[in-house]
Amino acid sequence: MTAPLWRRRAVLLSGLGLAAASLSSQVRLSRQRQADATAPTSSTQKGFASQLGPEGSQSGATGPLRLGWSPWADAEVMSLIAQRVIQQAYNLPIERVMADIGIQYASVARGDLDLMLMAWLPLTHKDYWTRVRDRVLDFGSMYSGRLGWVVPDYVDASELRSIADLRKPELAARFDNTVQGIDPGSGLNQASEQALVDYNLGDMRLVASSSAAMTAVLDKAIREQRWVVVTSWTPHWMFARYKLRFLEDPQLVFGGVEWIHALGRKGLDRDHPDLAGFLSRFQIPDRELSDLLLMANERSAGVAVEDYLDRHPARIRYWTTGMIS
């Protein structure tokens, strides 16, 4: 990996600042106790409880474990799956805590959060990871991901294959000189700002908004068969619903395929060894996750998670016991 690539990747998330705010103030504002309305009731537990092995092996009497998550589709479903399975398998109450990704890294390193499930490694979160790597536990990857700029498949690949092609004014005009972005503080938007510079796209501008706004713009353009370029990532439900493709990124501004890891506070493996075993085995095939995200978008995250758990008892048993049946 060349030094310029590492320099580019280091700026992806620097705007959030690991030490910018304390967890106590951030989390109080965003805490979500998850005996919530999105959680399915006992049907999920009845559907997969028999696959989990003995319950009650550990006690949550000292208070719930705190799981950090971000308002991203994959983060929501993964955190809900983890919450359901951990509570049922190990009798450990889990409190999901929504917080910015930089706050999550800092909070796990301090022990204010017990775990997080959204560490994009080795490049997208390189800046955060470098700061905390000696103060957290890495339980390994759960699935793969990719960041970049995406167009509908009907955009002619013979005319537009690479981000660099957008330097042509006539092509930029086909997109109204606009790249539709997501949250302004996100790593994806930070990388997109860098792409405008590195590819010398003076005729293009990045519109920061939200993930929901990005998918709404994409959906409207596809229904009208207009050319549109959006910032996105996999896994995402939009790849299960629409025919899309990433634009090539010859300068590797967005890196390549990455891996999303589970991280925990120091000592979590000693305090809850069964939970540590679960986290080390907690993996979902990418295609299954895309389909799960599509159902979550069309119905609800809770319904999608319930359906997934009911349909994959053998996998749940492996996650929780290590037994392959």
Side-chain angles (χ1 to χ4, degrees), residues 73-104:
D74 51 330
E76 182 176 23
V77 298
M78 293 299 287
S79 64
L80 281 174
I81 289 175
Q83 180 188 45
R84 304 277 203 281
V85 174
I86 293 168
Q87 289 182 162
Q88 183 66 32
Y90 309 123
N91 194 28
L92 286 171
I94 299 291
E95 176 188 1
R96 293 195 308 142
V97 180
M98 185 188 292
D100 287 338
I101 192 67
I103 299 298
Q104 290 182 51

mmCIF file of all heavy atoms in Angstrom, residues 73-104:
data_model
loop_
_atom_site.group_PDB
_atom_site.id
_atom_site.type_symbol
_atom_site.label_atom_id
_atom_site.label_comp_id
_atom_site.label_asym_id
_atom_site.label_seq_id
_atom_site.Cartn_x
_atom_site.Cartn_y
_atom_site.Cartn_z
ATOM 1 N N ALA A 73 -28.215 0.740 8.250
ATOM 2 C CA ALA A 73 -29.084 -0.428 8.111
ATOM 3 C C ALA A 73 -28.397 -1.701 8.587
ATOM 4 O O ALA A 73 -28.983 -2.495 9.334
ATOM 5 C CB ALA A 73 -29.530 -0.573 6.654
ATOM 6 N N ASP A 74 -27.152 -1.919 8.172
ATOM 7 C CA ASP A 74 -26.474 -3.149 8.584
ATOM 8 C C ASP A 74 -26.174 -3.132 10.071
ATOM 9 O O ASP A 74 -26.269 -4.170 10.746
ATOM 10 C CB ASP A 74 -25.206 -3.389 7.765
ATOM 11 C CG ASP A 74 -24.269 -2.195 7.715
ATOM 12 O OD1 ASP A 74 -24.747 -1.054 7.786
ATOM 13 O OD2 ASP A 74 -23.037 -2.403 7.580
ATOM 14 N N ALA A 75 -25.838 -1.961 10.616
ATOM 15 C CA ALA A 75 -25.566 -1.870 12.049
ATOM 16 C C ALA A 75 -26.813 -2.175 12.864
ATOM 17 O O ALA A 75 -26.743 -2.832 13.917
ATOM 18 C CB ALA A 75 -25.037 -0.477 12.390
ATOM 19 N N GLU A 76 -27.966 -1.729 12.384
ATOM 20 C CA GLU A 76 -29.201 -1.979 13.129
ATOM 21 C C GLU A 76 -29.514 -3.469 13.196
ATOM 22 O O GLU A 76 -29.771 -4.023 14.274
ATOM 23 C CB GLU A 76 -30.369 -1.228 12.507
ATOM 24 C CG GLU A 76 -31.671 -1.416 13.273
ATOM 25 C CD GLU A 76 -32.817 -0.598 12.728
ATOM 26 O OE1 GLU A 76 -32.779 -0.216 11.540
ATOM 27 O OE2 GLU A 76 -33.762 -0.356 13.493
ATOM 28 N N VAL A 77 -29.486 -4.151 12.048
ATOM 29 C CA VAL A 77 -29.873 -5.558 12.077
ATOM 30 C C VAL A 77 -28.824 -6.408 12.794
ATOM 31 O O VAL A 77 -29.176 -7.338 13.537
ATOM 32 C CB VAL A 77 -30.151 -6.113 10.662
ATOM 33 C CG1 VAL A 77 -31.313 -5.375 10.015
ATOM 34 C CG2 VAL A 77 -28.937 -6.086 9.780
ATOM 35 N N MET A 78 -27.547 -6.098 12.618
ATOM 36 C CA MET A 78 -26.522 -6.885 13.304
ATOM 37 C C MET A 78 -26.606 -6.703 14.818
ATOM 38 O O MET A 78 -26.440 -7.660 15.580
ATOM 39 C CB MET A 78 -25.138 -6.502 12.791
ATOM 40 C CG MET A 78 -24.871 -6.886 11.347
ATOM 41 S SD MET A 78 -24.952 -8.666 11.033
ATOM 42 C CE MET A 78 -23.417 -9.210 11.810
ATOM 43 N N SER A 79 -26.857 -5.470 15.249
ATOM 44 C CA SER A 79 -26.961 -5.246 16.694
ATOM 45 C C SER A 79 -28.210 -5.909 17.263
ATOM 46 O O SER A 79 -28.197 -6.425 18.389
ATOM 47 C CB SER A 79 -26.947 -3.750 17.010
ATOM 48 O OG SER A 79 -28.076 -3.086 16.461
ATOM 49 N N LEU A 80 -29.311 -5.932 16.501
ATOM 50 C CA LEU A 80 -30.520 -6.602 16.971
ATOM 51 C C LEU A 80 -30.321 -8.117 17.049
ATOM 52 O O LEU A 80 -30.763 -8.761 18.011
ATOM 53 C CB LEU A 80 -31.700 -6.279 16.044
ATOM 54 C CG LEU A 80 -32.368 -4.922 16.247
ATOM 55 C CD1 LEU A 80 -33.410 -4.684 15.155
ATOM 56 C CD2 LEU A 80 -33.003 -4.811 17.627
ATOM 57 N N ILE A 81 -29.660 -8.691 16.036
ATOM 58 C CA ILE A 81 -29.390 -10.124 16.084
ATOM 59 C C ILE A 81 -28.536 -10.459 17.305
ATOM 60 O O ILE A 81 -28.821 -11.394 18.060
ATOM 61 C CB ILE A 81 -28.687 -10.588 14.790
ATOM 62 C CG1 ILE A 81 -29.662 -10.562 13.613
ATOM 63 C CG2 ILE A 81 -28.128 -12.004 14.966
ATOM 64 C CD1 ILE A 81 -29.016 -10.882 12.281
ATOM 65 N N ALA A 82 -27.466 -9.691 17.492
ATOM 66 C CA ALA A 82 -26.583 -9.943 18.630
ATOM 67 C C ALA A 82 -27.345 -9.813 19.943
ATOM 68 O O ALA A 82 -27.202 -10.643 20.857
ATOM 69 C CB ALA A 82 -25.400 -8.988 18.603
ATOM 70 N N GLN A 83 -28.163 -8.783 20.061
ATOM 71 C CA GLN A 83 -28.928 -8.580 21.289
ATOM 72 C C GLN A 83 -29.845 -9.759 21.576
ATOM 73 O O GLN A 83 -29.861 -10.295 22.694
ATOM 74 C CB GLN A 83 -29.758 -7.304 21.174
ATOM 75 C CG GLN A 83 -30.586 -6.999 22.417
ATOM 76 C CD GLN A 83 -31.538 -5.846 22.205
ATOM 77 O OE1 GLN A 83 -32.209 -5.781 21.169
ATOM 78 N NE2 GLN A 83 -31.579 -4.933 23.157
ATOM 79 N N ARG A 84 -30.604 -10.186 20.563
ATOM 80 C CA ARG A 84 -31.554 -11.278 20.755
ATOM 81 C C ARG A 84 -30.823 -12.564 21.180
ATOM 82 O O ARG A 84 -31.208 -13.232 22.131
ATOM 83 C CB ARG A 84 -32.324 -11.590 19.462
ATOM 84 C CG ARG A 84 -33.060 -10.436 18.862
ATOM 85 C CD ARG A 84 -34.413 -10.197 19.483
ATOM 86 N NE ARG A 84 -35.257 -9.474 18.545
ATOM 87 C CZ ARG A 84 -35.199 -8.171 18.317
ATOM 88 N NH1 ARG A 84 -34.333 -7.437 18.986
ATOM 89 N NH2 ARG A 84 -36.000 -7.600 17.446
ATOM 90 N N VAL A 85 -29.772 -12.911 20.423
ATOM 91 C CA VAL A 85 -29.101 -14.183 20.655
ATOM 92 C C VAL A 85 -28.374 -14.186 21.994
ATOM 93 O O VAL A 85 -28.445 -15.156 22.761
ATOM 94 C CB VAL A 85 -28.133 -14.495 19.496
ATOM 95 C CG1 VAL A 85 -27.326 -15.750 19.802
ATOM 96 C CG2 VAL A 85 -28.911 -14.666 18.193
ATOM 97 N N ILE A 86 -27.676 -13.109 22.312
ATOM 98 C CA ILE A 86 -26.927 -13.058 23.575
ATOM 99 C C ILE A 86 -27.872 -13.139 24.768
ATOM 100 O O ILE A 86 -27.613 -13.867 25.739
ATOM 101 C CB ILE A 86 -26.073 -11.779 23.636
ATOM 102 C CG1 ILE A 86 -24.954 -11.829 22.587
ATOM 103 C CG2 ILE A 86 -25.486 -11.582 25.026
ATOM 104 C CD1 ILE A 86 -24.252 -10.500 22.385
ATOM 105 N N GLN A 87 -28.964 -12.389 24.701
ATOM 106 C CA GLN A 87 -29.906 -12.414 25.831
ATOM 107 C C GLN A 87 -30.507 -13.792 26.015
ATOM 108 O O GLN A 87 -30.643 -14.277 27.146
ATOM 109 C CB GLN A 87 -31.002 -11.360 25.611
ATOM 110 C CG GLN A 87 -30.502 -9.939 25.753
ATOM 111 C CD GLN A 87 -31.579 -8.878 25.583
ATOM 112 O OE1 GLN A 87 -31.397 -7.740 25.993
ATOM 113 N NE2 GLN A 87 -32.681 -9.227 24.953
ATOM 114 N N GLN A 88 -30.863 -14.455 24.917
ATOM 115 C CA GLN A 88 -31.507 -15.749 25.033
ATOM 116 C C GLN A 88 -30.509 -16.845 25.391
ATOM 117 O O GLN A 88 -30.802 -17.727 26.203
ATOM 118 C CB GLN A 88 -32.211 -16.097 23.703
ATOM 119 C CG GLN A 88 -32.988 -17.402 23.735
ATOM 120 C CD GLN A 88 -34.178 -17.332 24.685
ATOM 121 O OE1 GLN A 88 -34.776 -16.280 24.866
ATOM 122 N NE2 GLN A 88 -34.508 -18.473 25.293
ATOM 123 N N ALA A 89 -29.320 -16.803 24.784
ATOM 124 C CA ALA A 89 -28.359 -17.890 24.977
ATOM 125 C C ALA A 89 -27.650 -17.822 26.314
ATOM 126 O O ALA A 89 -27.403 -18.860 26.941
ATOM 127 C CB ALA A 89 -27.326 -17.877 23.854
ATOM 128 N N TYR A 90 -27.332 -16.615 26.752
ATOM 129 C CA TYR A 90 -26.463 -16.478 27.931
ATOM 130 C C TYR A 90 -27.123 -15.740 29.093
ATOM 131 O O TYR A 90 -26.470 -15.480 30.108
ATOM 132 C CB TYR A 90 -25.176 -15.740 27.541
ATOM 133 C CG TYR A 90 -24.500 -16.336 26.338
ATOM 134 C CD1 TYR A 90 -24.250 -15.557 25.211
ATOM 135 C CD2 TYR A 90 -24.109 -17.679 26.307
ATOM 136 C CE1 TYR A 90 -23.626 -16.097 24.088
ATOM 137 C CE2 TYR A 90 -23.489 -18.220 25.191
ATOM 138 C CZ TYR A 90 -23.253 -17.428 24.086
ATOM 139 O OH TYR A 90 -22.656 -17.953 22.974
ATOM 140 N N ASN A 91 -28.385 -15.382 28.948
ATOM 141 C CA ASN A 91 -29.105 -14.679 29.999
ATOM 142 C C ASN A 91 -28.376 -13.393 30.393
ATOM 143 O O ASN A 91 -28.311 -13.017 31.557
ATOM 144 C CB ASN A 91 -29.293 -15.575 31.228
ATOM 145 C CG ASN A 91 -30.327 -15.015 32.197
ATOM 146 O OD1 ASN A 91 -31.245 -14.309 31.790
ATOM 147 N ND2 ASN A 91 -30.177 -15.324 33.475
ATOM 148 N N LEU A 92 -27.821 -12.721 29.373
ATOM 149 C CA LEU A 92 -27.127 -11.444 29.580
ATOM 150 C C LEU A 92 -27.958 -10.327 28.965
ATOM 151 O O LEU A 92 -28.129 -10.283 27.744
ATOM 152 C CB LEU A 92 -25.746 -11.467 28.913
ATOM 153 C CG LEU A 92 -24.656 -12.283 29.586
ATOM 154 C CD1 LEU A 92 -23.433 -12.368 28.675
ATOM 155 C CD2 LEU A 92 -24.271 -11.647 30.914
ATOM 156 N N PRO A 93 -28.509 -9.422 29.762
ATOM 157 C CA PRO A 93 -29.255 -8.306 29.180
ATOM 158 C C PRO A 93 -28.325 -7.395 28.393
ATOM 159 O O PRO A 93 -27.185 -7.134 28.798
ATOM 160 C CB PRO A 93 -29.847 -7.583 30.393
ATOM 161 C CG PRO A 93 -28.969 -7.975 31.537
ATOM 162 C CD PRO A 93 -28.460 -9.356 31.239
ATOM 163 N N ILE A 94 -28.805 -6.928 27.239
ATOM 164 C CA ILE A 94 -28.030 -6.062 26.347
ATOM 165 C C ILE A 94 -28.778 -4.753 26.151
ATOM 166 O O ILE A 94 -29.970 -4.751 25.820
ATOM 167 C CB ILE A 94 -27.808 -6.727 24.978
ATOM 168 C CG1 ILE A 94 -27.032 -8.027 25.112
ATOM 169 C CG2 ILE A 94 -27.088 -5.765 24.028
ATOM 170 C CD1 ILE A 94 -25.594 -7.859 25.525
ATOM 171 N N GLU A 95 -28.095 -3.668 26.369
ATOM 172 C CA GLU A 95 -28.641 -2.337 26.094
ATOM 173 C C GLU A 95 -27.949 -1.785 24.847
ATOM 174 O O GLU A 95 -26.741 -1.597 24.825
ATOM 175 C CB GLU A 95 -28.396 -1.399 27.267
ATOM 176 C CG GLU A 95 -28.853 0.035 27.002
ATOM 177 C CD GLU A 95 -28.435 0.985 28.105
ATOM 178 O OE1 GLU A 95 -27.783 0.538 29.063
ATOM 179 O OE2 GLU A 95 -28.742 2.184 27.978
ATOM 180 N N ARG A 96 -28.723 -1.564 23.796
ATOM 181 C CA ARG A 96 -28.159 -0.962 22.588
ATOM 182 C C ARG A 96 -28.071 0.553 22.784
ATOM 183 O O ARG A 96 -29.035 1.195 23.174
ATOM 184 C CB ARG A 96 -29.004 -1.278 21.360
ATOM 185 C CG ARG A 96 -28.979 -2.752 20.973
ATOM 186 C CD ARG A 96 -29.504 -2.968 19.564
ATOM 187 N NE ARG A 96 -30.797 -2.358 19.377
ATOM 188 C CZ ARG A 96 -31.181 -1.744 18.245
ATOM 189 N NH1 ARG A 96 -30.369 -1.655 17.229
ATOM 190 N NH2 ARG A 96 -32.387 -1.226 18.148
ATOM 191 N N VAL A 97 -26.914 1.112 22.472
ATOM 192 C CA VAL A 97 -26.657 2.542 22.670
ATOM 193 C C VAL A 97 -26.242 3.147 21.337
ATOM 194 O O VAL A 97 -25.192 2.808 20.787
ATOM 195 C CB VAL A 97 -25.540 2.762 23.712
ATOM 196 C CG1 VAL A 97 -25.285 4.254 23.897
ATOM 197 C CG2 VAL A 97 -25.914 2.112 25.042
ATOM 198 N N MET A 98 -27.066 4.040 20.798
ATOM 199 C CA MET A 98 -26.730 4.683 19.536
ATOM 200 C C MET A 98 -25.745 5.820 19.778
ATOM 201 O O MET A 98 -25.961 6.665 20.650
ATOM 202 C CB MET A 98 -27.977 5.222 18.833
ATOM 203 C CG MET A 98 -27.687 5.787 17.447
ATOM 204 S SD MET A 98 -29.110 6.635 16.705
ATOM 205 C CE MET A 98 -30.203 5.249 16.431
ATOM 206 N N ALA A 99 -24.667 5.851 19.002
ATOM 207 C CA ALA A 99 -23.657 6.907 19.133
ATOM 208 C C ALA A 99 -22.864 6.990 17.842
ATOM 209 O O ALA A 99 -22.800 6.027 17.072
ATOM 210 C CB ALA A 99 -22.718 6.614 20.305
ATOM 211 N N ASP A 100 -22.279 8.154 17.594
ATOM 212 C CA ASP A 100 -21.396 8.318 16.443
ATOM 213 C C ASP A 100 -20.281 7.288 16.501
ATOM 214 O O ASP A 100 -19.840 6.875 17.578
ATOM 215 C CB ASP A 100 -20.792 9.719 16.417
ATOM 216 C CG ASP A 100 -21.799 10.786 16.012
ATOM 217 O OD1 ASP A 100 -22.801 10.434 15.375
ATOM 218 O OD2 ASP A 100 -21.568 11.959 16.343
ATOM 219 N N ILE A 101 -19.782 6.921 15.331
ATOM 220 C CA ILE A 101 -18.813 5.843 15.275
ATOM 221 C C ILE A 101 -17.535 6.192 16.035
ATOM 222 O O ILE A 101 -16.944 5.350 16.713
ATOM 223 C CB ILE A 101 -18.515 5.459 13.809
ATOM 224 C CG1 ILE A 101 -17.738 4.136 13.732
ATOM 225 C CG2 ILE A 101 -17.792 6.576 13.074
ATOM 226 C CD1 ILE A 101 -18.538 2.942 14.173
ATOM 227 N N GLY A 102 -17.083 7.446 15.948
ATOM 228 C CA GLY A 102 -15.887 7.837 16.685
ATOM 229 C C GLY A 102 -16.074 7.740 18.186
ATOM 230 O O GLY A 102 -15.160 7.329 18.913
ATOM 231 N N ILE A 103 -17.264 8.105 18.665
ATOM 232 C CA ILE A 103 -17.580 7.976 20.079
ATOM 233 C C ILE A 103 -17.569 6.516 20.498
ATOM 234 O O ILE A 103 -17.115 6.161 21.597
ATOM 235 C CB ILE A 103 -18.955 8.612 20.379
ATOM 236 C CG1 ILE A 103 -18.947 10.114 20.048
ATOM 237 C CG2 ILE A 103 -19.340 8.392 21.832
ATOM 238 C CD1 ILE A 103 -17.967 10.908 20.855
ATOM 239 N N GLN A 104 -18.033 5.634 19.627
ATOM 240 C CA GLN A 104 -18.034 4.211 19.966
ATOM 241 C C GLN A 104 -16.618 3.683 20.179
ATOM 242 O O GLN A 104 -16.351 2.971 21.148
ATOM 243 C CB GLN A 104 -18.731 3.411 18.869
ATOM 244 C CG GLN A 104 -20.234 3.642 18.797
ATOM 245 C CD GLN A 104 -20.890 2.791 17.729
ATOM 246 O OE1 GLN A 104 -20.679 1.582 17.680
ATOM 247 N NE2 GLN A 104 -21.681 3.418 16.870
#
